[in-house]
Amino acid sequence: MTPPSPAIGRNDLAILLFILLLAAVLRTAGLNTPLWYDEIWTVDTHVRLPWSDMMREYSMNHHYFFSMKAKLFSQIFGEEAWAYRFPAVLFGVGTVAAIWWLAKEVANTRIAHVSALLVALSYHQVWFSQNARGYTELAFWSVLGLVLFLRGVHRPAMGTWIAFGLTAAAAVFTHLTGAFFFVALGLVWLISLVTGFGRDTLTREWVLRPLIGVAIALVLTLLAYLPVLPSLLNTMGEISATSAVDKMQVYQSPVWTMVEGLRTTIGNTGSLTLIVAIVGLATIAFGALGTHSAQPLFFVAIAMHIAVTLAILMSLDMRIWPRFFFVDIGPVIVLVVVGCGYGAGLVARLLKRPQLGRVLFAAGVLAMVVVSVFLVQRNYDAPKQDLAGAFDFVEGTRGPSERVYAINPGGPVFESHFGADWTTIGDADGYDQAMAQPGPMALVVLFPNRMFRVIPRLETDVEGQLEFVRAFAGTLGDGRVLVYRRK
């Protein structure tokens, strides 16, 4: 790998601008599709509250800093799906720019261009950029924090560490799990302090200025969460209890998380999934080697965040959703691009053909871009979860005496958001009571993989007395909405 580029030329800025425009187009196309369950829950229980009530209680479902922006946009542009999601678009495009900066710090402008392009085309990055939730904001603050951390370790300027503290506070106020990333960076800093790994000299400024940044982050975070602090502590105490009785215990497995992450990335490809995983791990390993000379703490920071997140979630018996690692996608893409170049150069040196390295790197980049273009199109195949379509269909075909039940693991979103007179069923007892009543009925099943497990009798009934009517596709994992009827 070549050393980091010392300056940014006009051509580099032009390429970056093109990539950002591409990212913006991909993230605004189809932005007004129907809201899915989590988005509706966020809007109904948080964003639509008066400003003074938005910090009245803590919920893991709330992304507080993001929701404030979503509320502002909805007040300016109206209560439209695209308005709630637009802050996610802005932070999604911002994350592309932050990744470009990060890649330039650990490699050079060529790696920065390719990394930013792949993040712009990333299926997951586009999906979450069109989601009225704070994940792209969390990714933006985390990547920016990583850039500032790496800079601060090499050149411990006070301004850098103050900016780091502000960034950390913004991330944690977006969502409490944002603390995982900055705790990981703190552990990396301690390792560097004790062992000398990744630093040149140990000075008073190197030790004290990061601590000032941390102090700023802690004070601002405490002030931000102070109105909901009692509720926050109570919620943390209840997490293990709710997870222990969850029928989907598989969600607490790191293996499931890894497999689900690969599945949503490349689809159900059978044995190809294993091949992709092996090649990906090898490329990441090359990336760790390739970034070691310029930024030896870069790979360590990513690995530490994954380890810290897994340790905390498993210790609390929490569900290990792949989205908890969403912030790592961009930095891992940087590692993959660097690894591709490093591996290509290694092959060229072994074969003593210097020009071959450039050809192999270009071929690898082309392959990654082509695959990314193919995968990103899946974002536009269907809404994330078509609750609006299911509601319109059921109401439009509903008989005069037909009862409608929403089989749903959460609250009555059809009633709160659509004004439906439907009854929510969340467990086997509620289902048995509904089926015991005579007369025609319609069942709208959300998250069918989960609900068929929660209500075993449902699977039996759909093969007998219930008639399948229609399925509404969704890009969300387990995002189909199924409609059944009993005459």
Side-chain angles (χ1 to χ4, degrees), residues 286-446:
F286 281 141
L289 294 173
T291 58
H292 179 77
S293 60
Q295 291 287 1
L297 297 181
F298 174 56
F299 172 76
V300 179
I302 300 171
M304 184 64 76
H305 174 247
I306 294 172
V308 166
T309 301
L310 284 174
I312 293 175
L313 296 178
M314 293 177 69
S315 67
L316 295 174
D317 293 327
M318 288 181 64
R319 303 173 186 91
I320 307 175
W321 299 116
R323 61 177 176 260
F324 286 136
F325 305 94
F326 175 71
V327 301
D328 298 305
I329 291 177
V332 167
I333 286 176
V334 175
L335 276 175
V336 168
V337 176
V338 172
C340 183
Y342 186 89
L346 183 61
V347 171
R349 288 192 297 273
L350 290 174
L351 298 179
K352 298 181 179 180
R353 297 178 58 184
Q355 297 301 321
L356 181 61
R358 293 183 179 181
V359 174
L360 290 177
F361 178 70
V365 169
L366 179 61
M368 288 188 287
V369 170
V370 170
V371 171
S372 297
V373 170
F374 173 75
L375 293 176
V376 77
Q377 297 179 54
R378 295 183 299 165
N379 276 293
Y380 315 107
D381 291 342
K384 288 177 168 55
Q385 188 182 39
D386 197 1
L387 302 183
F391 172 77
D392 291 340
F393 172 77
V394 171
E395 287 296 315
T397 59
R398 185 178 183 178
S401 60
E402 187 176 56
R403 304 185 314 277
V404 182
Y405 296 92
I407 298 183
N408 176 8
V413 294
F414 287 105
E415 179 183 346
S416 65
H417 195 75
F418 298 101
D421 61 342
W422 299 3
T423 301
T424 298
I425 297 175
D427 54 33
D429 291 339
Y431 178 78
D432 291 339
Q433 292 173 14
M435 293 297 290
Q437 300 182 41
M441 62 189 299
L443 299 176
V444 182
V445 183
L446 282 63

